[in-house]
Amino acid sequence: QYFIKRVQTTKGMASLLEPFVNQTISVLTNDGRNLVGKLRGFDQLVNVILEGSHERVYSPEGVEKINLGLCIVRGDNVSVVGLVDIELDKKIDFSKLRAEPLKPVVH
């Protein structure tokens, strides 16, 4: 199990990503986007490389999945990173899911 730790440096934050390499993760960005893909790499600035990625766009009409392929997300735009439970994710019927879009992060 993974949990959130308070870390003071970006180097410390980047080291928390190590267990997620080659795993499917979800990245919430500061502008409210939800990107899902296999974490292939990262650096000390928390820039992340996602393989086979897609964006999940939530709306009251449903969830749209936009394929992105190989994607690099700048670390200064990463808000939250979480491990995706693949089995649970496969059971979700996104065609029936309704949600308001995520709002941007306010610092």
Side-chain angles (χ1 to χ4, degrees), residues 43-63:
D43 65 12
Q44 69 275 11
L45 299 175
V46 195
N47 296 311
V48 296
I49 301 170
L50 299 176
E51 180 182 69
S53 66
H54 63 273
E55 180 179 0
R56 291 181 180 164
V57 181
Y58 296 88
S59 74
E61 291 80 40
V63 179

Side-chain angles (χ1 to χ4, degrees), residues 2 15-23 39 42 83:
Y2 298 102
S15 68
L16 292 175
L17 293 176
E18 189 65 42
F20 297 152
V21 173
N22 297 321
Q23 304 278 342
L39 179 63
F42 63 92
L83 191 61

Side-chain angles (χ1 to χ4, degrees), residues 1-19:
Q1 260 194 340
Y2 298 102
F3 52 93
I4 298 173
K5 291 182 185 178
R6 175 175 245 165
V7 181
Q8 298 298 327
T9 66
T10 55
K11 183 178 179 184
M13 289 170 49
S15 68
L16 292 175
L17 293 176
E18 189 65 42

Side-chain angles (χ1 to χ4, degrees), residues 34 56-64 89 91-100:
N34 181 6
R56 291 181 180 164
V57 181
Y58 296 88
S59 74
E61 291 80 40
V63 179
E64 181 182 3
D89 197 60
K91 294 177 183 177
I92 298 172
D93 184 357
F94 286 100
S95 68
K96 295 182 180 178
L97 186 62
R98 306 287 185 261
E100 290 295 321

Side-chain angles (χ1 to χ4, degrees), residues 27-47:
V27 177
L28 299 180
T29 63
N30 290 336
D31 61 355
R33 296 172 65 188
N34 181 6
L35 308 173
V36 178
K38 187 170 284 195
L39 179 63
R40 287 301 187 188
F42 63 92
D43 65 12
Q44 69 275 11
L45 299 175
V46 195
N47 296 311

Side-chain angles (χ1 to χ4, degrees), residues 63-103:
V63 179
E64 181 182 3
K65 179 179 168 182
I66 302 171
N67 288 320
L68 302 172
L70 188 64
C71 180
I72 299 173
V73 184
R74 285 182 51 131
D76 61 355
N77 197 31
V78 173
S79 183
V80 178
V81 175
L83 191 61
V84 173
D85 182 331
I86 300 292
E87 296 305 314
L88 181 61
D89 197 60
K90 287 179 184 176
K91 294 177 183 177
I92 298 172
D93 184 357
F94 286 100
S95 68
K96 295 182 180 178
L97 186 62
R98 306 287 185 261
E100 290 295 321
L102 295 173
K103 296 187 187 309

